[in-house]
Amino acid sequence: MADVAKLAEVSLQTVSRVLHDSPNVSDDTRKRVLKAIQQLNYRPNVAAQALVTGRSRTLGVVSFDTALYGPASTLLGIQEAAHDAGYAVSIASLRSMKRASLFEAVQRLRGQGVEGVVIIAPQKSAVEALRRLPPGVPMVAVEGGPDHSVPVVAVDQFGGAMAATRHLLELGHRAIWHIAGPADWLEAEQRADGWRAALKDAGIRPPALLRGDWSARSGYELGRQLLQKPEVTAVFVANDQMALGLLRRLHESGREAPRHLSIVGFDDIPEAAYFTPPLTTIRQDFAEVGRRCLHLLLGQLESPARPWEHVEVPAQFVLRESTAALQAR
């Protein structure tokens, strides 16, 4: 910093103000300091700053080791929100959310000096593990279930599933089946519950659901069972990848959506708008999830005694071309 100050012909305090984006610096001075930083290839010493301020400006994220769209997009949303707030992110990726592995990951992040931890907890096993983590660590869980042991940010999976099912009901469908995700995933259960609730509200007894594993392959394989049931006119699928597999099976059988079967997915993956036909689905706002996580976490850092919260991010219905009124079939 002294070298930068000397080259820019300013004080150390002025260099510090520029580095911290303080408004109390003239445009001309700021440009000179930034030019000196570039010429000298200066990088702030984060460890030294942490010693002075007592703040590392680093957050930890414990993530489930998966390439699935939901968890991966959640992680990206948290990283972007942290970056916008001037925080770095250290990631611990786990293959299973068991108590021992989650405890070890949180301890490892604490050893790196993180100020707080966000835990992406999509499975039921993670909820139990969250209850047994050591106290005193500012922490937020994503999804995390209804448990109140930690603050939680979650997308309204139940409401999104109800919106998908009600859309099909409004189109005149009554035989609406559901391809669900794995039973140990919280989102899969909440989406199945929303589907059941919408059917029961309409006076319809829900049929037995079919279980997939989130993959397009499982949607394709379960499509064979569905297409053997001539009474089925519509399907709510728990994610877009499984819906893609179902669309492929439907095409191979000589039928098409929505003429022979109306289909609604969940997630709104980037490719959903380019399926054949473009997929009606439910969008999750992962950027907003990231912002809400950061807000709760920074709130704990500023006021450790503040009450814990459960924040729900609305799901958004996206209408495309894979659904149609029953009489139009």
Side-chain angles (χ1 to χ4, degrees):
M1 283 180 67
D3 292 337
V4 171
K6 182 178 179 181
L7 182 59
E9 298 180 345
V10 298
S11 67
L12 282 171
Q13 289 85 352
T14 299
V15 176
S16 179
R17 291 191 190 101
V18 172
L19 290 171
H20 291 90
D21 202 25
S22 170
N24 300 320
V25 182
S26 70
D27 289 342
D28 181 62
T29 300
R30 188 183 303 277
K31 288 177 182 177
R32 292 208 320 273
V33 172
L34 292 175
K35 184 178 180 180
I37 287 172
Q38 185 177 16
Q39 283 184 249
L40 296 172
N41 196 28
Y42 171 74
R43 297 288 184 275
N45 188 319
V46 177
Q49 288 180 339
L51 287 172
V52 173
T53 64
R55 301 284 296 270
S56 68
R57 298 200 69 81
T58 301
L59 303 176
V61 178
V62 180
S63 175
F64 185 58
D65 183 16
T66 176
L68 288 172
Y69 179 74
S73 298
T74 300
L75 177 58
L76 179 60
I78 294 167
Q79 287 179 296
E80 290 178 342
H83 179 267
D84 290 343
Y87 279 80
V89 173
S90 182
I91 300 170
S93 185
L94 303 180
R95 292 188 176 181
S96 68
M97 283 284 183
K98 295 180 180 178
R99 177 187 173 188
S101 56
L102 186 56
F103 181 87
E104 181 183 343
V106 171
Q107 293 295 80
R108 187 164 68 249
L109 290 169
R110 291 181 74 184
Q112 296 173 16
V114 301
E115 295 183 27
V117 179
V118 179
I119 299 176
I120 301 173
Q123 295 177 308
K124 294 177 181 177
S125 58
V127 176
E128 180 60 30
L130 284 170
R131 295 191 185 106
R132 302 179 182 277
L133 288 175
V137 183
M139 191 177 301
V140 174
V142 182
E143 296 307 333
D147 186 81
H148 298 291
S149 57
V150 296
V152 171
V153 177
V155 173
D156 184 7
Q157 310 288 341
F158 182 90
M162 284 198 75
T165 310
R166 284 172 175 166
H167 168 68
L168 294 169
L169 289 166
E170 289 166 1
L171 291 173
H173 297 279
R174 290 296 177 266
I176 303 171
W177 283 58
H178 179 46
I179 296 180
D184 60 334
W185 283 69
L186 295 162
E187 293 135 300
E189 291 307 283
Q190 291 161 5
R191 293 170 196 176
D193 288 344
W195 163 73
R196 291 190 190 97
L199 290 182
K200 288 178 181 178
D201 286 350
I204 299 172
R205 183 178 179 179
L209 57 75
L210 302 175
R211 287 277 182 200
D213 63 6
W214 299 129
S215 70
R217 176 190 53 77
S218 68
Y220 177 82
E221 293 174 351
L222 291 169
R224 181 179 181 182
Q225 296 182 43
L226 275 173
L227 296 179
Q228 290 174 350
K229 302 178 185 297
E231 73 277 12
V232 180
T233 65
V235 184
F236 166 47
V237 189
N239 78 333
D240 292 349
Q241 283 94 344
M242 292 193 296
L244 174 61
L246 176 58
L247 284 167
R248 173 64 182 269
R249 174 67 78 172
L250 188 66
H251 174 74
E252 289 183 356
S253 71
R255 286 171 276 185
E256 61 185 21
R259 182 184 173 198
H260 298 98
L261 191 70
S262 284
I263 299 173
V264 180
F266 205 109
D267 279 339
D268 194 27
I269 63 175
E271 298 83 4
Y274 302 95
F275 287 2
T276 303
L279 185 67
T280 295
T281 187
I282 303 296
R283 178 180 298 151
Q284 301 192 75
D285 190 344
F286 295 108
E288 183 62 17
V289 169
R291 287 190 290 268
R292 298 291 185 94
C293 284
L294 196 69
H295 176 75
L296 288 187
L297 198 58
L298 297 184
Q300 291 180 65
L301 295 174
E302 295 166 4
S303 178
R306 69 184 291 172
W308 287 338
E309 300 177 55
H310 186 116
V311 177
E312 202 162 64
V313 176
Q316 180 184 356
F317 177 76
V318 180
L319 178 62
R320 295 197 180 101
E321 299 170 27
S322 62
T323 56
L326 182 62
Q327 60 267 27
R329 297 173 65 242

